[in-house]
Structure formats: C-alpha cells, structure tokens
Amino acid sequence: QVQLVESGGGLVQPGGSLTLSCAASESILSFNAMGWFRQAPGKERELVATFYSSGVTNSADSLKGRFIISRDNAKNMVYLQMNSLEFEDTAVYYCNAWKMGKDYWGQGTLVTVSS
C-alpha cells in the first residue's frame, strides 16, 4: 500500500512563498505519475502539477511561472515551491501518485493565504 505524507502547509501573506513536501513510502520511480492537486473551499479538486514516468511534466496553465514542482528520486520526495502566493491559492494541497491503475492520496496539507 502506497503511503504519501505531505508537510509544509501553513499561513502565509499574499506575495509570500511556501514549499510543500511529499514523502512516499516507496520509490517514486515505481509510479506512473506523481504530483500535486489542490481543493479550495467550495470548489472541486484540481491539478496543480504532476510528473509522468515518461518524463513529461503537466501543470495548470494558470499557475505556470509561480508554482514549481521538483523531485528527489533518492529520497522518494516530491516538492512544490509556491511563489507570489495569492488569496485564491488558499486550499488543501494533496500529494497524488498513480500506480498500476490506482490513485493514491496523502491526507492533505492546508495552505492559507491571508493578510
């Protein structure tokens, strides 16, 4: 059973930065895809950014330039660097992995952008 644990959420002021981390219980190279989604209050969960095993990275057009996904294969970690945060970025951020047709989710970490 794949386990994903997020960390790094919290309260940040508009314009600030925050980096989220996701630790996987097994080699991230075994996943078909791995990345981040978010769910804002009253909205559906949406893609933030994800890596595919093919090497392709997919990210939301509206977040390109502000959010950067990265990974450390040796540590089985995926990161999300978030810059120039806006009120609308307030959401629960979830780490996701897809392996052999199954989706795995972390418990989520709350990011609140507020002055």
Side-chain angles (χ1 to χ4, degrees), residues 17-93:
S17 297
L18 208 58
T19 298
L20 306 181
S21 301
C22 175
S25 59
E26 61 184 74
S27 172
I28 64 175
L29 296 176
S30 70
F31 302 147
N32 302 107
M34 186 174 184
W36 295 92
F37 287 71
R38 70 181 184 181
Q39 188 166 16
K43 295 187 177 181
E44 294 185 355
R45 194 170 296 189
E46 63 177 357
L47 170 72
V48 175
T50 191
F51 290 111
Y52 292 95
S53 58
S54 62
V56 173
T57 300
N58 187 29
S59 58
D61 289 338
S62 61
L63 301 178
K64 288 179 180 177
R66 293 197 300 123
F67 287 19
I68 302 169
I69 188 171
S70 62
R71 59 187 173 182
D72 187 329
N73 295 335
K75 295 182 178 179
N76 298 326
M77 297 285 293
V78 173
Y79 306 96
L80 184 68
Q81 180 182 341
M82 305 184 293
N83 302 313
S84 302
L85 284 161
E86 304 170 353
F87 293 118
E88 293 74 22
D89 295 318
T90 294
V92 178
Y93 286 73

Side-chain angles (χ1 to χ4, degrees), residues 89-111:
D89 295 318
T90 294
V92 178
Y93 286 73
Y94 295 93
C95 184
N96 167 265
W98 181 46
K99 179 179 179 180
M100 297 179 66
K102 290 185 66 176
D103 263 321
Y104 299 92
W105 297 94
Q107 81 286 354
T109 185
L110 177 63
V111 173

